[in-house]
Amino acid sequence: MKKKLLILGAMEMHVPLILRAKKLGLHTITCDYLPDNPGHKIADEAFFDSTTDLEAVTELATRLKVDGVMTYNSDPAAPTAAYVAEKLKLPGNPYHAVKIMSEKDLFRQFLREHDLNVPRYKNFKAGDDIKGLEEFRFPVIVKPVDSSGSKGCTVVDTPHNVFAASLQALTFSRCNRFIVEEYIVPRGAQLHGDGFVKDGKIVFLYLGDHHFDANVNNLVPYSTTYPTTHPQDEFEQCIAQLQKFMSLVGFKNGGFNVELRISNANGKAYIIDIGARNGGNFTPKIIEYATGFNFMDKAIALAMGWPVTDFKFEQKGFFSHLILHSRIDGIIDKIEISEEIQKRTLESHIYLHKGDHISAFLGASSAAGVLLMRYESKEIMDHVVDNFNDLYSIKLIDQ
C-alpha cells in the first residue's frame, strides 16, 4: 500500500510538488479551502478544509491515517503542518518554533529577548489605543502580524497616519493583531532567498536582490535576481543572525524563506521576515536552476521521515523570477511578452487569462503569473529586470 502524504495547499505553486510526490510513489492528498485550485485536480484525493484550521486538519489527517504532512510555500499553512505533525507524532518541526516564525509580533519579541538585531517596534491588537510611538523615528511600517506577500503593509511618514494604516493591516490579519516598527532604510538591495536547515544547522542559503515597482507599490517585489550583489562580509552577517535564531528557536529541519536588510544607518544585518517554508513565486525552483540544490525532494523526504542527504551546490550563472503584474485594476484583454523575455524564459506560469479580473499589484496574490529566467550575463539580467515593465504588457479591456 502506498504511503499517504497530506499537502496543505493546492495552488499553482503546489502543482510541481504534488506531481513530484506522485512520481516518488506517494498517495497524495490535498487540503485547501478553494475547490477550484489546480492542485486538487491532480492529487489522488482532495479535501476543502481551511489550511489554517488546526483542529479540522488534525481530524482529517487522523481519519485518513496519513504518513506525512507538509506545506511547501504557504505561510498560513506552515503552523498547521507543524501542529498536526506534533499531535500525530509525524516528522516535522516544533509547533512553537513555527508559530514564532509565522507571527511577526512573536518573532520580533523573540529577536529582542535573545539579543538579535531588531528594529524598534510595538505590538497592538484591534481596539487598542495606538500609544507609545513618541520615541519612534519615522518613517515606520505597519504590518498585520500573520499575513504574507506584503498584504496589508503600509509605510507611514507621520504619526497621524498610523491609525489609518492600522485599519488596513487589520483587514489582512486573521488574529486581529498588527505591529508598528521603524522602517530600516537598506544599504543596497533588500536580500531575499531560501535556505535549508538540517539537525539545527543551516547547510544551505542562497540570497538574491529584491526589485520593486515604485510606481505601484514599493513593498511588493516583482523580481529577485541571483546571486546577490552584497559583499561576502554582509552575507556572513546574515548567516550569523539566521543561525543564531534557528538554534535558539528550535527549528530543526527543512526549508525556510527569508528577507533581510543591511541597515544603511549602522551596517548591521536585520531579519525582516522569515517563513518556516520555502518561498512563493517558485523561489525554490529558480534557486535550483541557479545552484542545483533540490528543495522539493528534500522537503518531501523530511515530511515522510526519509533520509535527507547531498547538500552540495554550485553557482551556475545569473537567474531571476519575474512577476507579471498590473498597476491598475481591470479585466484582462491579453498579455503580451516580448521576444527579449521569451528567449530567456526557463518556465512560464501564467495564472490569469483573457476575461479574468486583475487587481493592482498591492500584494503578491495580485500576480498575473511568474516567469523563471536565465541570463547570459549580469549586464543583460540588470537590463531586463530594470526595464521589465517595458518588455511586456497586460492590456485591459476598455483601457
Side-chain angles (χ1 to χ4, degrees):
M1 181 180 291
K2 290 183 176 180
K3 297 280 189 179
K4 295 180 180 180
L5 176 61
L6 177 60
I7 297 170
L8 305 185
M11 297 183 298
E12 180 77 26
M13 286 179 282
H14 292 97
V15 168
L17 175 74
I18 298 164
L19 292 172
R20 182 58 179 160
K22 291 177 69 130
K23 191 171 182 179
L24 291 171
L26 297 172
H27 180 87
T28 56
I29 305 164
T30 49
C31 177
D32 187 316
Y33 81 103
L34 294 172
D36 291 332
N37 271 353
H40 287 315
K41 298 176 176 61
I42 61 172
D44 296 299
E45 294 184 78
F47 295 86
F48 310 119
D49 296 295
S50 169
T51 60
T52 63
D53 189 330
L54 299 179
E55 300 308 328
V57 179
T58 301
E59 189 279 330
L60 177 67
T62 303
R63 174 162 48 86
L64 297 176
K65 298 180 179 179
V66 302
D67 301 286
V69 57
M70 67 177 296
T71 189
Y72 190 51
N73 41 30
S74 171
D75 257 331
T80 306
Y83 181 86
V84 173
E86 199 167 85
K87 288 289 184 181
L88 302 188
K89 296 182 171 47
L90 299 172
N93 281 294
Y95 172 63
H96 77 87
V98 175
K99 186 174 175 65
I100 288 169
M101 295 170 72
S102 302
E103 299 183 14
K104 294 175 178 63
D105 49 355
L106 302 182
F107 174 60
R108 290 285 183 250
Q109 180 179 334
F110 189 90
L111 295 179
R112 183 165 63 188
E113 288 176 351
H114 293 87
D115 199 28
L116 285 142
N117 296 336
V118 60
R120 181 179 281 125
Y121 72 92
K122 193 169 178 62
N123 304 324
F124 299 93
K125 62 181 182 297
D128 283 350
D129 289 334
I130 303 176
K131 296 179 179 179
L133 304 183
E134 295 81 12
E135 296 183 3
F136 278 53
R137 289 177 298 179
F138 280 72
V140 299
I141 186 165
V142 183
K143 307 175 182 178
V145 305
D146 55 346
S147 74
S148 58
S150 300
K151 294 188 290 291
C153 298
T154 309
V155 175
V156 178
D157 291 321
T158 59
H160 70 268
N161 288 329
V162 171
F163 178 71
S166 74
L167 297 180
Q168 171 73 1
L170 286 169
T171 63
F172 290 93
S173 176
R174 297 181 303 279
C175 65
N176 291 314
R177 305 199 313 271
F178 66 95
I179 186 170
V180 180
E181 63 183 50
E182 290 186 351
Y183 181 80
I184 297 173
V185 177
R187 176 188 297 173
Q190 177 168 288
L191 294 113
H192 167 247
D194 278 5
F196 197 88
V197 174
K198 181 70 168 65
D199 297 328
K201 179 176 173 55
I202 297 174
V203 294
F204 176 83
L205 178 66
Y206 201 65
L207 299 177
D209 293 348
H210 259 160
H211 298 261
F212 300 87
D213 184 348
N215 290 311
V216 59
N217 190 325
N218 63 357
L219 294 177
V220 186
Y222 69 86
S223 181
T224 305
T225 53
Y226 298 95
T228 180
T229 56
H230 282 269
Q232 184 64 25
D233 66 309
E234 293 178 351
F235 180 83
E236 289 172 0
Q237 275 200 64
C238 295
I239 280 275
Q241 287 289 300
L242 288 167
Q243 184 59 70
K244 182 177 179 181
F245 171 75
M246 292 297 186
S247 298
L248 291 168
V249 82
F251 188 83
K252 297 298 183 186
N253 293 290
F256 66 93
N257 180 252
V258 67
E259 297 172 359
L260 307 106
R261 288 189 172 192
I262 305 299
S263 169
N264 193 53
N266 60 24
K268 294 181 179 180
Y270 289 78
I271 307 172
I272 300 300
D273 203 4
I274 194 165
R277 45 78 188 172
N278 284 106
N281 297 315
F282 297 91
T283 294
K285 187 61 181 178
I286 196 63
I287 290 178
E288 183 180 350
Y289 279 119
T291 66
F293 191 90
N294 187 325
F295 282 100
M296 187 178 295
D297 281 4
K298 292 175 175 60
I300 294 171
L302 284 174
M304 299 306 298
W306 300 340
V308 179
T309 58
D310 186 13
F311 303 112
K312 299 193 210 63
F313 65 95
E314 60 178 319
Q315 186 170 298
K316 297 183 177 181
F318 301 95
F319 297 81
S320 80
H321 64 238
L322 296 172
I323 301 176
L324 302 170
H325 62 278
S326 175
R327 293 177 176 175
I328 59 174
D329 296 351
I331 304 298
I332 294 175
D333 182 19
K334 58 183 174 180
I335 299 175
E336 296 179 340
I337 299 174
S338 69
E339 172 62 23
E340 187 167 4
I341 288 180
Q342 289 186 46
K343 69 184 181 182
R344 297 184 174 94
T345 301
L346 297 167
E347 294 183 18
S348 175
H349 301 272
I350 307 300
Y351 310 147
L352 302 179
H353 304 277
K354 183 179 177 67
D356 289 335
H357 179 268
I358 187 169
S359 299
F361 194 52
L362 301 178
S365 58
S366 300
V370 179
L371 308 176
L372 307 187
M373 308 287 295
R374 176 194 286 134
Y375 308 93
E376 303 93 314
S377 67
K378 182 179 184 304
E379 291 71 25
I380 292 173
M381 178 171 72
D382 290 344
H383 168 76
V384 170
V385 174
D386 290 345
N387 296 282
F388 178 46
N389 285 324
D390 298 324
L391 297 174
Y392 81 101
S393 65
I394 297 178
K395 297 189 180 300
L396 305 180
I397 294 174
D398 296 328
Q399 181 177 325

